């Protein structure tokens, strides 16, 4: 894992590829798989005309570019009071990137549509699995609600460049507004299924539960992201007088309405101004607020509100 430094996020909308955090659940495949990306194949099942399609074929079925936040569901884990296990991310397990690929909906329509009874889209990654272990205990296979078909895409580019192995190249399932684990890397199979996969990463992993309670299929899954924001500058030091407070905010699958900033620990709030273009409901919005500060210590916090009133 590699985390983006908090102060390196900057004030732009798009996170440069060389600054974007890296997270894998299994060892990444060889770099050789991106030597001829058009040859990579993915199987589409649970449709009326199941087929295995190469990236070259997918490129002939449609293309879109979508700006979306990519965020690990454990982002902010370092701040959890109960000492959660796993990578101790601060706020750097997130970035906003441009994905280019074919809408999954276009692929499905070309194959006759779902075969019926499908409630989930189940994607399987193409990592090599170690011998001697039950594949279901380690395979990266995630199911998301079928309603995600309206926004999901099979991406082969990130930030206008071929998708690198570190970020799932040559082909990645992208579900805008959903936590990163659902954006399956090296995707080899996409299936429309009646039930969620029984792979461990789905059945008991990435479930919302009380501290100390084991994960199970009856708990909410880590799917759509919640509204969120954080300050990126200044961090540990500012100056007496005028300071520009920068940060980023996003609403997951819901557009943002506003961001507010407090420089007194949440006692009083002022509305910040969004920076840069609005790249759609799945992208984050950099924000800025000019504040005048006396010499001393100030605790700065931000809060975002989406168009549905979630804060």
């Amino acid at each position: 894992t590699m985390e983006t430094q908090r102060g390196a996020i900057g004030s732009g909308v798009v996170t440069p590829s060389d600054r974007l955090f890296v997270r894998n659940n299994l060892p990444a495949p060889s770099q050789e798989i991106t030597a001829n990306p058009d040859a990579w194949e993915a199987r589409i099942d649970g449709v009326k005309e199941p087929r295995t399609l190469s990236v070259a074929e997918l490129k002939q079925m449609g293309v879109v570019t979508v700006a979306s936040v990519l965020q690990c569901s454990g982002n902010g884990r370092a701040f959890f009071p109960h000492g959660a296990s796993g990578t101790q991310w601060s706020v750097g397990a997130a970035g906003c990137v441009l994905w280019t690929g074919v809408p999954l909906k276009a692929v499905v329509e070309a194959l006759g549509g779902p075969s019926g009874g499908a409630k989930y889209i189940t994607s399987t990654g193409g990592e090599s699995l170690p011998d001697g272990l039950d594949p279901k205990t380690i395979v990266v296979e995630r199911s998301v609600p079928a309603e995600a078909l309206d926004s999901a895409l099979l991406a082969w580019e990130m930030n206008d460049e071929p998708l690198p192995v570190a970020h799932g190249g040559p082909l990645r399932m992208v579900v805008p507004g959903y936590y990163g684990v659902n954006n399956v890397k090296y995707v080899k199979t996409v299936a429309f299924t009646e039930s969620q996969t029984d792979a461990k990463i789905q059945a008991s992993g990435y479930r919302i539960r009380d501290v100390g309670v084991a994960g199970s299929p009856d708990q909410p899954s880590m799917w759509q992201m919640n509204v969120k924001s954080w300050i990126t500058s200044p961090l540990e030091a500012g100056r007496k007088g005028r300071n520009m407070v920068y940060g980023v905010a996003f609403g997951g699958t819901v557009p943002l309405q506003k961001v507010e900033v407090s420089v007194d620990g949440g006692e009083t709030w002022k509305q910040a101004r969004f920076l840069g273009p609005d790249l759609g409901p799945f992208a984050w919005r950099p924000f800025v607020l000019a504040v005048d500060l006396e010499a001393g210590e100030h605790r700065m916090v931000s809060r975002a509100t989406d168009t549905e009133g979630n804060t």
Side-chain angles (χ1 to χ4, degrees), residues 153-167:
L153 65 151
L154 293 169
W156 53 75
E157 283 187 3
M158 183 181 78
N159 291 348
D160 297 328
E161 296 179 345
L163 196 58
V165 170
H167 293 295

Side-chain angles (χ1 to χ4, degrees), residues 9-83:
I9 292 175
S11 58
V13 180
V14 177
T15 305
S17 302
D18 59 0
R19 294 187 194 174
L20 184 65
F21 80 101
V22 176
R23 166 77 168 101
N24 285 309
N25 280 290
L26 287 172
S30 165
Q31 296 286 336
E32 295 176 0
I33 67 172
T34 55
N36 182 14
D38 282 359
W40 181 267
E41 294 181 331
R43 176 77 180 176
I44 312 298
D45 280 328
V47 292
K48 294 178 181 176
E49 301 170 24
R51 277 184 61 188
T52 297
L53 297 166
S54 67
V55 171
E57 291 175 300
L58 290 171
K59 288 180 176 179
Q60 300 303 311
M61 301 176 81
V63 61
V64 293
T65 295
V66 177
S68 177
V69 171
L70 180 68
Q71 179 185 216
C72 176
S73 62
N75 194 31
R77 189 183 283 134
F79 304 122
F80 292 177
H82 62 281

Side-chain angles (χ1 to χ4, degrees), residues 143-303:
S143 301
V144 297
E147 65 192 44
L149 180 61
D150 289 336
S151 58
L153 65 151
L154 293 169
W156 53 75
E157 283 187 3
M158 183 181 78
N159 291 348
D160 297 328
E161 296 179 345
L163 196 58
V165 170
H167 293 295
L171 189 68
R172 182 170 189 170
M173 167 63 72
V174 173
V175 189
Y178 282 59
Y179 285 106
V181 68
N182 304 290
N183 294 251
V184 174
K185 296 180 176 181
Y186 330 111
V187 64
K188 289 296 291 183
T189 304
V190 178
F192 288 81
T193 57
E194 292 186 15
S195 57
Q196 298 178 34
T197 173
D198 59 353
K200 182 179 179 181
I201 196 172
Q202 178 85 24
S204 59
Y206 295 88
R207 294 284 174 173
I208 302 171
R209 56 191 188 272
D210 290 335
V211 176
V213 176
S216 65
D218 61 343
Q219 299 159 345
S221 190
M222 298 294 287
W223 285 330
Q224 294 98 328
M225 295 187 293
N226 297 319
V227 62
K228 195 170 187 176
S229 70
W230 60 83
I231 289 169
T232 59
S233 176
L235 295 176
E236 296 181 350
R239 66 178 69 183
K240 180 182 178 180
R242 178 56 58 98
N243 284 261
M244 306 298 284
V245 180
Y246 293 92
V248 292
F250 54 94
T253 58
V254 182
L256 283 178
Q257 182 184 66
K258 64 180 179 179
V259 181
E260 298 164 289
V261 170
S262 172
V263 296
D264 54 16
E267 293 295 323
T268 60
W269 297 89
K270 292 184 179 180
Q271 188 165 330
R273 176 173 59 87
F274 288 129
L275 282 174
D278 182 353
L279 296 185
F282 309 117
W284 70 22
R285 300 297 308 272
F287 62 83
V288 65
L289 177 69
V291 295
D292 292 313
L293 300 176
E294 297 293 331
E297 188 171 287
H298 301 265
R299 183 170 188 265
M300 299 184 180
V301 292
S302 65
R303 67 182 183 193

